[in-house]
Amino acid sequence: MATLAVNGGGGAAAATHTKAYLEGKAVKETRLLISELCRQFYTLGWVSGTGGSITVKVHDDSIPKPQQLILMSPSGVQKERMEPEDLYVLSGNGTMLSSPSPKPYPHKPPKCSDCAPLFMKAYEKRDAGAVIHSHGIESCLVTMINPMSKEFRITHMEMIKGIKGHGYYDELVVPIIENMAYENELTDSLAKAIDAYPKATAVLVRNHGIYVWGDSWINAKTQAECYHHLFDAAIKLHQLGLDWSTPNHGPTRNFKLGLGSNGNVNTSAKAVTEGSDYGSGLFPRCIVLDIEGITTPISFVSEVLSPYARDNVGKHLSVTYDTAETQDDIKLLRSQVEDDLKQGVAGAVPIPPRDAGKEEVIAALVANVDAMIKADRKITALKQLQGHIWRTGFESNELEGEVFDDVPEALEKWHSLGTKVYIYSSGSRLAQRLIFGNSNYGDLRKYLSGFFDTAVGNKRETRSYVEITNSLGVDKPSEILFVTDVYQEATAAKAAGLEVVISIRPGNGPLPENHGFKTINSFAEI
């Protein structure tokens, strides 16, 4: 094994470049760990035929994570027979520090993993602690089912909970990039996918495999196992003619599911009109619903939710003040109030620094939140805090979501037709889930494929609907039907190419004359 002399500068980074450190306990244990993991991954079919790879950072509490050493598996080596001394050691910035010694024939000359530049992108852009590249057949086949798809989407599967930042009801989205002849040619497209999907912890490579990263090797391994499970489930559901991407995983549009005389499931092709969209008679692939005045009376928000948040903001902040969640809420509010003060927004008052005392800070926060609620401001800082306050109300049964009587039946019908339904509201995604998860008709989240809030953009801006269209992965914007009660939102969505109808419900505001949009009084009219 060759150890290279590298001038690492000063401080902690330089300490990791010494021969003593490179041959020390932390590095040796990581070498052993990677060798063991590769043997496990081989039995799972992730690294057979010398394919696949893994990299892990050497954890050391005394070294900042970006400066921790990186160990990588070699290229062209049978991973199940790989020894600890076969690994490469790199500095935090990718400089080679140690490489394995050549072995006699029939072994190939040592070569660092062809995945190295892709691994480094995950380290740089996600502060990862480990990255796994698998050639598992599930991760390959799932990208081939729809050769035009740029994303893999799945929801309402238990193993989604094993993916960082996701729960059972969430929609998991994994970007798909196109394969290239050489691994390093994937670097730019992988980096772009990481940037475009900030919540993602993996990128699929069509006809090839998957890259998965995590905060630690345990996190990366756990997520990789969950991803492969979900891909396998999706493939099997597809074989049964079932749609893995919808909450109830019902029959796809191209299949009719039934039981044969022997009790076995059989599928048959079902004709579907090609080239049609909602406007020419085919039911929309996706429906995006607002909440106020569409699924839920406006009065529920103005007379129930808003007063509850306003009356309980002080209590909530006082009880949860030292939690990370509330400190994040306060940070957002501080930033918003600073902008409001600069712009002379009415009702904005300075928030004292934290060392001024808890009571003083809370008093200023309450005053600002009260002014924001009275002005009905659609801003993330307010909506996030309100969602956390409402969560307490729903958990204590002080609050119950309210939907119009026609909503549950319509959601169930659309669901059975394979149409995906999403919510786009100025309320936080948490608040949206609370309303539909604790409604007067029970938990309706099983009919919903996902939630959008103002993080995707202002509801009166066309680019917000362009972003939603890109997120939903449809071929044409016209495959999406947007239902709103606000003319300006309808106009913005139409400009993005979406089909639009305006909901007329009791308490909704007036519309301009000759507005030009189709209107409905009930979801039964869709």
Side-chain angles (χ1 to χ4, degrees), residues 316-425:
H316 172 84
L317 291 172
S318 181
V319 172
T320 64
Y321 187 77
D322 292 318
T323 65
E325 181 179 83
T326 294
Q327 285 301 312
D328 183 54
D329 290 344
I330 293 173
K331 181 180 178 181
L332 277 178
L333 285 166
R334 283 186 185 278
S335 177
Q336 182 64 55
V337 171
E338 287 173 4
D339 289 342
D340 291 349
L341 290 169
K342 291 177 183 177
Q343 298 173 21
V345 175
V349 298
I351 301 174
R354 188 172 185 179
D355 57 14
K358 175 178 174 180
E359 290 74 16
E360 288 77 6
V361 173
I362 290 177
L365 290 167
V366 170
N368 280 287
V369 170
D370 185 64
M372 293 174 180
I373 292 175
K374 287 179 179 177
D376 193 24
R377 298 183 65 185
K378 313 294 186 182
I379 49 178
T380 301
L382 173 63
K383 298 302 179 180
Q384 178 172 301
L385 174 62
Q386 284 179 316
H388 294 149
I389 297 172
W390 291 331
R391 180 179 60 200
T392 301
F394 281 106
E395 289 176 348
S396 63
N397 295 319
E398 294 179 80
L399 293 173
E400 180 184 64
E402 182 180 350
V403 298
F404 289 111
D405 294 338
D406 60 301
V407 171
E409 182 179 353
L411 292 178
E412 184 177 10
K413 181 186 77 171
W414 299 336
H415 201 56
S416 67
L417 291 172
T419 295
K420 298 180 183 179
V421 182
Y422 298 85
I423 302 298
Y424 179 30
S425 171

